[in-house]
Amino acid sequence: ERQKIAEVECGPASLCLWRPRSGDSPMARWMRRRGGPGLHHVMFDVEDLPAAVDSLKRRGVRFIGGIEDRPHQRHAFIDLNRVGVFGHSWGGYFTVRALEQAPEVFHVGVASSPALNPYDMIIYEPYLDLPSRTKAAYDYANNNNWADKIKGKLMLVGGTADSPRMGILMRMVHQMIEAGVDHDLVLLPEAPHGFAGKDDDYYIRKLVTYFEV
């Protein structure tokens, strides 16, 4: 969704002013549910995150989530129960893969125009070699083979003019149906691999609202 954003540097701090262009947009509704216009969040750059957290806890500051000394938990604002991922094209491949291989981490995903099966596209050969020589690698990289591992919410988005990815997308849908995996599918009539105009506006609205809680 389109928004107006202005960033202001204030010495060692920076302000990000953010305003939706429509009062009924997904972002505007999201802001209203969280108290309306005003100060949304404050971020601090600290040298030692665990030490800073301990200091604030001693002062009575309440934290939403726990802090552990692991790389993906270095940022205190991350709630590990609400982690999502989205991507387009090859990013769509990795979005689906994330939900398949790490369902305990990634709980929601949106994959648009995803390239899901290495057997279907030549672009994998520079990385995996020829399938006749590295069949095990191709089988491992084939997201269709992992469809039954998906536990979270997944929305697949594709343009019907995106050849050959539409067939690739339908095969993944078939695998998920066979595995009993609930999912959402959005088709954009006559849209190519990249979305534009009203197709892109619609996709962005679906993307934003899919992550709303």
Side-chain angles (χ1 to χ4, degrees), residues 82-86 95 99 106-110 152-154 210-211:
R82 301 174 63 211
V83 177
V85 58
F86 73 94
T95 293
L99 269 70
F106 299 99
H107 303 287
V108 57
V110 175
K153 284 176 52 180
L154 174 61
Y210 205 69
F211 285 95

Side-chain angles (χ1 to χ4, degrees), residues 68-145:
E68 298 181 22
D69 190 19
R70 290 192 287 174
H72 69 286
Q73 292 175 308
R74 291 174 183 166
H75 301 290
F77 57 82
I78 294 178
D79 182 350
L80 291 184
N81 295 316
R82 301 174 63 211
V83 177
V85 58
F86 73 94
H88 183 83
S89 192
W90 222 327
Y93 169 92
F94 286 107
T95 293
V96 174
R97 192 67 172 199
L99 269 70
E100 291 175 331
Q101 280 199 271
E104 74 284 356
V105 176
F106 299 99
H107 303 287
V108 57
V110 175
S112 55
S113 301
L116 297 164
N117 185 346
Y119 284 107
D120 291 326
M121 306 194 71
I122 197 172
I123 60 173
Y124 287 87
E125 291 183 5
Y127 308 96
L128 299 181
D129 201 351
L130 295 175
S132 59
R133 293 200 290 253
T134 59
K135 183 178 183 301
Y138 275 75
D139 289 343
Y140 181 80
N142 185 351
N143 278 344
N144 293 353
N145 295 338

Side-chain angles (χ1 to χ4, degrees), residues 158-164 166 188-193:
T160 60
D162 186 12
S163 179
M166 183 50 54
L188 302 174
E190 300 184 10
H193 184 61

